[in-house]
């Protein structure tokens, strides 16, 4: 567990976090817009930035692995030498260079020079090097920001598998909703210069977009619903609440592939024009629909009433 | 026939001076790079004094400082050394080291400053201590600074005149380096010998400058993100 409270002033930029606690088991995402102080926060945790007020405490002394936003592989060493750099300096090595190279599929890169690597390969090697320090926690600062979409997916899966396989807790900074949704167990949601409370993924989906909640349906749920969208178990179907159309279920209703049968749970006012309808599906899953107020009045829903949610074409799989 | 004594002496002084300068300047430059801004300005200004100070002024102060009855010489004498630091080879080397110091320190300071902080941060997080960071990251990434500093100090030592004249005088085979030899030949109206030596110096200087410029143009092409 990492706990603390810090405030920092760096050439006019203020960051004041309030009390924070970071779980030491799962993947925690620090989510926020660019320039809100996410990287500064990570630098403070790593001890790279230590000119701050307040304190950071660790339950026990931590070995921190940190993959910086900019490529920090040493250019005068090749891939193998970069990996050994970390391995040789690790006091209690838990992994060997061989194991990690195989596991992260970088064996064929070992003799390459750093400047000959692609963006995705660089990130793979950077992550491998960090793991070879046998860290108690791995910090990743926007590890996907410089990658094209295929490499992004590869690294996303790699990050998930590292957390699972090696049980290394991960703290990752991102400003991408997609990365947040596909990776996180917990979210630390930052607004410019301040650290907001740590929230669950479900709460994060409700809060992070000022235009309304974001729905995330797992591949597993979709399979249970019998929707043939060809999703893998770990993939997610993401739908913004404003892209859901509600239809009252009738006897002769034919379900298209892009629909889910839900029951009406409750309603809350979003603003003067819209309300958010909370709908239940598959027993304990919820879907949120952003609906104009006048439509809500016409729907005249009652608790437990069956409603069909149709989702729009710009929903996407991640 | 050209007397090669002065050439050999000059090369010997320059070689020893360059080796000494690289040894002294490496920790000195690293210390300067890690100073805070105000102190760094002061120290860099002080270290650069030999660049603009007339060599005779530098030579004069060194002569005072190293005179056989001075503090340094007396201390050496009490340690069993002869205490003779002027008008001999030792004096020549001491004078050259101080005179050429900025030509080694400055390229090293520039090179060390250019090593991106992210590499040092990463190394530290992997458990590398300060000294380890210096030897494993800073030194190998500053190769061109060492080459440049070495070449410049070697060349600069070869061309010195004023300091050598003040602290070493003009003793054949002991302190008479090429530049002083040329001066001596001119004074004696031996223009042919002066020509020969001057031409060698001219070619040598040109080669050094070509080396320096080709090195700095290849440095500009280096990827250093």
């Amino acid at each position: 567990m990492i706990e603390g409270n810090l405030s920092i002033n760096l050439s006019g930029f203020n960051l004041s976090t309030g009390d924070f606690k970071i779980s030491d088991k799962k993947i925690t995402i620090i989510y926020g817009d660019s320039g809100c102080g996410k990287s500064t926060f990570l630098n403070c945790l790593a001890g790279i930035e230590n000119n701050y007020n307040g304190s950071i405490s660790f339950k026990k002394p931590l070995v921190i692995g940190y993959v910086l936003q900019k490529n920090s592989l040493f250019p005068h060493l090749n891939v193998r030498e970069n990996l050994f750099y970390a391995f040789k300096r690790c006091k209690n090595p838990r992994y060997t260079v061989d194991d990690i190279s195989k596991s992260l599929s970088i064996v064929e890169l070992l003799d390459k020079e750093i400047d000959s690597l692609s963006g995705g390969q660089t990130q793979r090697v950077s992550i491998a090097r960090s793991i070879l320090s046998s860290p108690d926690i791995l910090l990743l600062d926007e590890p996907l920001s410089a990658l094209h979409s295929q490499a992004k997916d590869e690294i996303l899966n790699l990050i998930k598998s590292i957390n699972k396989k090696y049980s290394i807790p991960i703290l990752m900074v991102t400003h991408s909703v997609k990365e947040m949704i596909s990776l996180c167990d917990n979210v630390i949601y930052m607004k410019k210069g301040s650290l907001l409370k740590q929230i669950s993924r479900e709460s994060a989906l409700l809060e992070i977009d000022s235009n309304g909640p974001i729905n995330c349906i797992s591949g597993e749920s979709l399979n249970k619903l019998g929707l043939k969208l060809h999703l893998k178990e770990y993939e997610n179907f993401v739908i913004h609440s404003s892209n859901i159309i509600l239809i009252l279920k009738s006897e002769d209703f034919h379900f298209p592939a892009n629909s889910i049968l839900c029951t009406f749970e409750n309603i809350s006012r979003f603003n003067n024009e819209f309300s958010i309808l909370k709908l239940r599906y598959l027993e304990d899953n919820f879907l949120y629909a952003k609906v104009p107020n006048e439509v809500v009045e016409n729907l005249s829903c009652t608790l437990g009433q069956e409603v069909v949610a149709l989702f729009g074409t710009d929903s996407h799989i991640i | 026939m050209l007397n090669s004594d002065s050439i050999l002496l000059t090369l010997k002084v320059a070689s020893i001076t360059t080796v000494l300068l690289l040894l002294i300047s490496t920790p000195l430059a690293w210390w300067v790079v890690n100073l805070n801004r105000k102190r760094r300005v002061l120290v860099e200004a002080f270290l650069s004094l030999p660049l603009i100070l007339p060599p005779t002024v530098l030579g004069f102060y060194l002569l005072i400082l190293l005179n056989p009855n001075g503090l340094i010489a007396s201390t050496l004498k009490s340690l069993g050394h002869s205490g003779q630091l002027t008008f001999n080879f030792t004096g020549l080397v001491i004078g050259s080291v101080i005179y050429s110091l900025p030509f080694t320190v400055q390229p090293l300071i520039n090179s060390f400053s250019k090593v991106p902080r992210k590499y040092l941060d990463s190394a530290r997080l992997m458990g590398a201590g300060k000294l380890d960071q210096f030897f494993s990251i800073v030194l190998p990434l500053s190769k061109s600074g060492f080459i440049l500093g070495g070449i410049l100090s070697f060349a600069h030592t070869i061309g010195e005149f004023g300091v050598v004249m003040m602290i070493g005088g003009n003793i054949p085979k002991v302190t008479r380096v090429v530049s002083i030899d040329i001066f001596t030949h001119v004074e004696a109206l031996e223009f042919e010998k002066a020509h020969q030596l001057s031409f060698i110096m001219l070619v040598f200087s040109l080669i050094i400058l070509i080396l320096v410029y080709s090195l700095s143009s290849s440095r500009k092409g280096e990827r250093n993100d």
Side-chain angles (χ1 to χ4, degrees):
Chain A
M1 180 77 84
I2 300 174
E3 287 181 309
N5 181 323
L6 56 92
S7 61
I8 185 166
N9 188 316
L10 283 176
S11 47
F13 173 78
N14 282 302
L15 170 69
S16 179
T17 65
D19 292 329
F20 63 83
K21 280 183 182 179
I22 295 161
S23 144
D24 56 0
K25 287 194 179 66
K26 297 176 169 179
I27 300 181
T28 303
I29 294 287
I30 302 178
Y31 176 87
D33 294 332
S34 298
C36 71
K38 304 186 296 288
S39 298
T40 308
F41 180 59
L42 222 54
N43 286 342
C44 290
L45 289 183
I48 286 176
E49 184 60 65
N50 42 28
N51 197 12
Y52 55 78
N53 299 317
S55 68
I56 298 172
S57 64
F58 306 116
K59 216 154 94 191
K60 53 180 174 109
L62 284 187
V63 177
I64 291 177
Y66 192 2
V67 177
L68 295 145
Q69 192 170 1
K70 289 180 189 163
N71 169 20
S72 66
L73 293 174
F74 305 135
H76 59 292
L77 304 178
N78 68 15
V79 171
R80 189 192 305 275
E81 291 161 342
N82 263 281
L83 298 181
F84 268 104
Y85 192 95
F87 180 72
K88 280 182 195 161
R89 285 162 180 79
C90 177
K91 287 192 181 111
N92 302 304
R94 294 198 292 267
Y95 323 105
T96 65
V97 171
D98 265 6
D99 288 345
I100 295 296
S101 310
K102 278 179 200 148
S103 163
L104 272 70
S105 319
I106 52 169
V107 176
E108 71 279 13
L109 304 178
L110 285 175
D111 293 315
K112 285 199 168 184
E113 295 302 320
I114 297 306
D115 58 6
S116 70
L117 302 179
S118 71
Q121 290 171 335
T122 301
Q123 225 39 305
R124 237 168 227 282
V125 176
S126 302
I127 292 171
R129 192 178 69 172
S130 302
I131 297 174
L132 281 164
S133 295
S134 300
D136 300 308
I137 185 165
L138 190 57
L139 311 185
L140 305 172
D141 191 359
E142 308 237 10
L144 313 176
S145 61
L147 306 181
H148 58 80
S149 63
Q150 194 193 335
K152 265 185 188 162
D153 289 344
E154 276 176 33
I155 302 294
L156 264 181
N157 288 327
L158 179 70
I159 293 168
K160 275 190 234 178
S161 67
I162 287 167
N163 177 246
K164 224 175 183 176
K165 187 169 175 186
Y166 300 112
S167 307
I168 302 175
I170 289 172
L171 187 60
M172 173 173 147
V173 156
T174 183
H175 63 265
S176 148
V177 178
K178 174 180 167 169
E179 290 166 24
M180 189 211 78
I181 289 172
S182 45
L183 281 178
C184 74
D185 299 303
N186 292 301
V187 181
I188 292 174
Y189 178 33
M190 278 183 99
K191 274 187 179 166
K192 198 167 178 95
S194 66
L195 192 78
L196 296 190
K197 62 187 180 296
Q198 188 164 341
I199 49 180
S200 67
R201 187 172 106 146
E202 286 65 34
S203 317
L205 290 172
L206 293 178
E207 286 182 35
I208 53 168
D209 191 335
S210 55
N211 286 321
I214 295 169
N215 294 297
C216 178
I217 307 172
S218 66
E220 200 184 349
S221 302
L222 285 174
N223 288 342
K224 275 188 200 164
L225 286 164
L227 297 187
K228 287 173 187 155
L229 288 163
H230 307 294
L231 249 70
K232 296 190 184 85
E233 292 268 311
Y234 58 83
E235 286 178 324
N236 293 294
F237 201 65
V238 177
I239 317 156
H240 197 273
S241 52
S242 57
N243 289 332
I244 288 187
I245 300 162
L246 295 180
I247 302 170
L248 289 174
K249 195 197 163 204
S250 57
E251 291 288 321
D252 56 348
F253 187 79
H254 176 71
F255 285 91
N258 60 337
S259 65
I260 299 176
L261 180 65
C262 313
T263 54
F264 177 71
E265 187 75 14
N266 69 30
I267 189 164
S268 59
R269 187 54 79 98
F270 186 69
N271 56 23
N272 287 337
E273 286 178 67
F274 291 97
S275 293
I276 303 294
L277 266 63
K278 187 178 180 186
L279 307 160
R280 185 190 283 270
Y281 67 98
L282 285 180
E283 291 184 17
D284 55 354
N285 294 291
F286 296 99
L287 200 64
Y288 296 86
K290 188 179 169 191
V291 179
N293 289 334
E294 61 256 37
V295 175
V296 174
E297 284 157 22
N298 292 337
L299 271 174
S300 61
C301 288
T302 54
L303 186 71
Q305 184 175 349
E306 288 193 317
V307 187
V308 180
L310 278 162
F311 32 89
T313 47
D314 65 346
S315 318
H316 52 282
I317 299 164
I318 56 180
Chain B
M1 183 64 197
L2 184 69
N3 184 354
S4 62
D5 284 348
S6 65
I7 297 180
L8 289 176
L9 179 68
T10 308
L11 289 175
K12 192 175 159 194
V13 172
S15 307
I16 293 175
T17 301
T18 305
V19 172
L20 283 176
L21 271 175
L22 287 173
L23 288 174
I24 297 168
S25 302
T26 306
L28 190 62
W30 184 236
W31 174 68
V32 172
V33 167
N34 287 295
L35 288 175
N36 67 32
R37 206 172 153 267
K38 267 187 198 164
R39 285 187 184 169
R40 183 171 164 173
V41 168
L42 284 176
V43 173
E44 277 198 78
F46 181 75
L47 291 175
S48 300
L49 267 180
L51 281 179
I52 51 166
L53 217 53
T56 42
V57 173
L58 197 67
F60 173 67
Y61 280 127
L62 280 172
L63 203 56
I64 301 284
L65 195 70
L66 302 176
N67 87 78
N69 301 317
L71 185 68
I72 295 175
S74 313
T75 314
L76 282 175
K77 273 180 200 164
S78 68
L79 292 170
H81 185 270
S82 69
Q84 184 64 42
L85 296 172
T86 50
F87 301 105
N88 63 7
F89 187 77
T90 313
L92 220 56
V93 172
I94 295 174
S96 304
V97 164
I98 292 173
Y99 182 52
S100 296
L101 186 70
F103 290 85
T104 327
V105 167
Q106 209 53 53
L108 288 183
I109 289 177
N110 289 345
S111 281
F112 292 171
S113 317
K114 277 185 194 153
V115 172
R117 206 188 128 177
K118 61 181 183 178
Y119 296 144
L120 301 179
D121 286 336
S122 299
R124 191 170 55 75
L125 284 166
M126 286 185 259
K130 277 265 174 202
L131 209 61
D132 188 1
Q133 287 169 38
F134 180 73
F135 282 107
S136 62
I137 310 292
V138 179
L139 278 194
L141 289 178
S142 305
K143 250 186 238 160
S144 52
F146 278 96
I147 297 171
L148 188 65
I151 293 175
L152 283 177
S153 49
F154 187 81
H156 193 242
T157 306
I158 279 184
E160 69 177 288
F161 179 83
V163 178
V164 176
M165 197 64 171
M166 294 294 282
I167 201 167
N170 186 359
I171 310 166
K173 295 190 182 184
V174 180
T175 62
R176 185 183 288 173
V177 292
V178 172
S179 55
I180 291 174
D181 206 9
I182 295 170
F183 176 75
T184 314
H185 287 314
V186 173
E187 264 199 325
L189 300 177
E190 297 164 347
F191 285 137
E192 194 184 333
K193 286 181 177 171
H195 261 308
Q196 286 170 343
L197 282 176
S198 298
F199 185 70
I200 291 171
M201 290 293 267
L202 186 77
V203 173
F204 172 78
S205 306
L206 196 63
I207 291 171
I208 290 293
L209 285 174
I210 290 171
L211 261 176
V212 168
Y213 280 105
S214 63
L215 195 71
S216 50
S217 69
S218 73
R219 275 215 307 177
K220 274 173 205 157
E222 267 177 26
R223 275 173 51 160
N224 213 356
D225 64 334

